[in-house]
């Protein structure tokens, strides 16, 4: 019996089995945990920098002071995002049947896609003016920063829910 709210969003097992490669699994097995460590650290660094940037955009008094910090964060933000995405894809292909059959993977992927679309929507009108030191923040900027906060927080929540199953209660 399926007991989670996103069960209908699971990837089909036939697709997951077609993506499974035992050769890749055995090749990656000695460094699997190193890749997981890299993924978790890069994901945490990206999430932290993105949250600081979005919170700075949302605070009107911080708009003038966020430009120098944002200019320092742009390259590490992009690098950590790329590392998190590449390592996440590698971890998925390490064992696609196991990872893909988890309940919250599809909602996590949907939220990542929406967050990336939001970043694309806000790039020229929100992020570039902030990097240039423009103190005036539009309603679109506040909406974009709020959506970014919500979507990336949702990605992190789905990741946490996806990492392990519901605790089992042992009754006597």
């Amino acid at each position: 019996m399926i007991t989670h709210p996103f069960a209908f969003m699971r990837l089909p097992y036939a697709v997951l089995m077609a993506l499974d490669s035992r050769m890749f699994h055995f090749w990656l097995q000695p460094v699997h945990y190193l890749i997981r460590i890299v993924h978790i650290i890069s994901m945490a660094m990206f999430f932290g920098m993105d949250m600081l940037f979005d919170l700075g955009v949302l605070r009107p008094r911080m708009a003038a002071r966020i430009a120098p910090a944002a200019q320092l964060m742009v390259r590490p933000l992009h690098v950590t995002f790329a590392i998190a995405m590449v390592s996440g894809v590698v971890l998925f292909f390490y064992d696609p049947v196991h990872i893909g059959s988890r309940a919250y993977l599809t909602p996590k992927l949907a939220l990542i896609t929406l967050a990336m679309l939001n970043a694309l929507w806000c790039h020229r009108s929100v992020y570039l003016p902030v990097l240039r030191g423009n103190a005036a923040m539009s309603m679109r900027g506040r909406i974009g920063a709020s959506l970014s906060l919500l979507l990336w927080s949702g990605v992190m929540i789905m990741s946490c829910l996806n990492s392990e199953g519901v605790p089992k209660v042992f009754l006597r």
Side-chain angles (χ1 to χ4, degrees):
M1 182 167 162
I2 300 172
T3 59
H4 57 81
F6 297 115
F8 68 95
M9 295 178 81
R10 278 194 172 152
L11 297 172
Y13 286 111
V15 172
L16 296 173
M17 287 189 309
L19 295 173
D20 195 9
S21 167
R22 290 292 99 189
M23 179 72 83
F24 185 70
H25 181 87
F26 290 123
W27 179 72
L28 203 62
Q29 198 168 20
V31 293
H32 172 254
Y33 285 100
L34 294 175
I35 295 171
R36 284 182 69 189
I37 290 168
V38 166
H39 180 68
I40 290 169
I41 290 172
S42 63
M43 183 181 60
M45 288 174 66
F46 168 77
F47 183 67
M49 284 188 284
D50 187 65
M51 294 298 110
L52 287 174
F53 181 76
D54 290 334
L55 290 172
V57 168
L58 287 173
R59 294 195 56 200
R61 294 185 306 164
M62 292 296 293
R65 290 184 275 170
I66 195 171
Q71 291 167 0
L72 288 173
M73 286 192 298
V74 169
R75 185 163 311 243
L77 187 75
H78 291 147
V79 168
T80 55
F81 177 73
I83 291 170
M85 292 301 288
V86 169
S87 61
V89 169
V90 169
L91 288 172
F92 172 77
F93 283 109
Y94 174 73
D95 193 2
V97 174
H98 183 237
I99 302 298
S101 62
R102 291 182 177 166
Y104 298 98
L105 177 70
T106 308
K108 175 184 168 182
L109 296 176
L111 288 172
I112 290 171
T113 303
L114 290 173
M116 290 173 63
L117 289 173
N118 179 54
L120 182 66
W121 178 66
C122 293
H123 181 71
R124 288 189 194 269
S125 62
V126 178
Y127 301 139
L128 289 180
V130 168
L131 290 171
R132 291 183 190 121
N134 184 3
M137 186 50 58
S138 66
M139 182 58 79
R140 182 176 179 171
R142 287 189 182 89
I143 290 171
S146 299
L147 278 174
S148 178
L149 279 169
L150 289 172
L151 291 170
W152 287 115
S153 295
V155 169
M156 293 302 288
I157 290 168
M158 293 300 154
S159 295
C160 291
L161 291 173
N162 211 25
S163 63
E164 55 183 82
V166 177
K168 292 180 176 50
V169 178
F170 296 106
L171 301 174
R172 293 181 186 209

